[in-house]
């Protein structure tokens, strides 16, 4: 609020903007896909993943898709907007590690594949696989994923910034 007569102007109370972070430079990105689709669930991840592939291709990035679902828009083999390489493998830490070893991507997208991809990315981070092979997480950081997945940690983070939350306990 601006108090009249206190020498305060609108510019002095507007929050200062921070410089945007520098983009992470990558040339080859592994996208963890949506996996199996069921009626009424996960369709949005199929669409968002296919749009991520399209955007990366427009930026001249090589794309590698892991998605065990052969009936997915992401895995469509027709069209220039599809991934350069597709692996029809389960989204598990062991299979993803093997693809990382073979393809050597320098970036990975975890947030386009729903809960399975998020869980897998967290496990790859904890195992040190991403660091070992120099794979940078694009988009939401693994630390943020872990903070939002753990209800108690998430509540604690909200309280740190004085955000009102409903009383709760994590069990």
């Amino acid at each position: 609020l601006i108090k009249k007569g206190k020498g305060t102007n609108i510019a002095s109370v507007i929050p200062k903007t921070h410089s945007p972070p520098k983009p992470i430079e990558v040339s080859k990105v592994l996208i963890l896909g949506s996996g199996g689709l069921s009626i009424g669930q996960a369709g949005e991840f199929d669409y968002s993943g296919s749009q991520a592939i399209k955007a990366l291709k427009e930026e001249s990035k090589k794309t590698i898709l892991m998605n065990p679902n052969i009936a997915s828009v992401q895995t469509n083999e027709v069209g220039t907007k599809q991934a350069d390489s597709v692996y029809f493998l389960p989204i598990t830490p062991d299979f993803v590690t093997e693809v990382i070893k073979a393809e050597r991507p320098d970036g990975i997208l975890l947030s386009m594949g729903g809960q399975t991809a998020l869980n897998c990315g967290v496990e790859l981070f904890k195992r040190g696989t991403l660091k070992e092979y120099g794979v940078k997480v694009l988009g939401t950081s693994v630390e943020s994923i872990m903070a939002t997945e753990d209800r108690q940690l998430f509540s604690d983070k909200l309280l740190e910034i004085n955000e009102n939350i409903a009383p709760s306990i994590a069990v």
Side-chain angles (χ1 to χ4, degrees), residues 78-143:
V78 179
T80 58
K81 297 174 185 154
Q82 303 309 316
D84 295 303
S85 301
V86 178
Y87 288 83
F88 293 105
L89 295 169
I91 309 290
T92 66
D94 293 333
F95 280 111
V96 173
T97 299
E98 291 305 312
V99 171
I100 289 171
K101 285 179 186 177
E103 291 282 348
R104 301 295 179 162
D106 49 0
I108 189 169
L109 271 174
L110 306 173
S111 56
M112 299 295 146
Q115 198 63 51
T116 300
L118 293 176
N119 293 344
C120 183
V122 167
E123 185 59 31
L124 291 168
F125 177 81
K126 287 179 177 178
R127 289 183 182 184
T129 304
L130 301 175
K131 186 175 183 177
E132 178 182 348
Y133 291 97
V135 182
K136 300 172 196 106
V137 175
L138 307 177
T140 307
S141 70
V142 176
E143 292 87 347

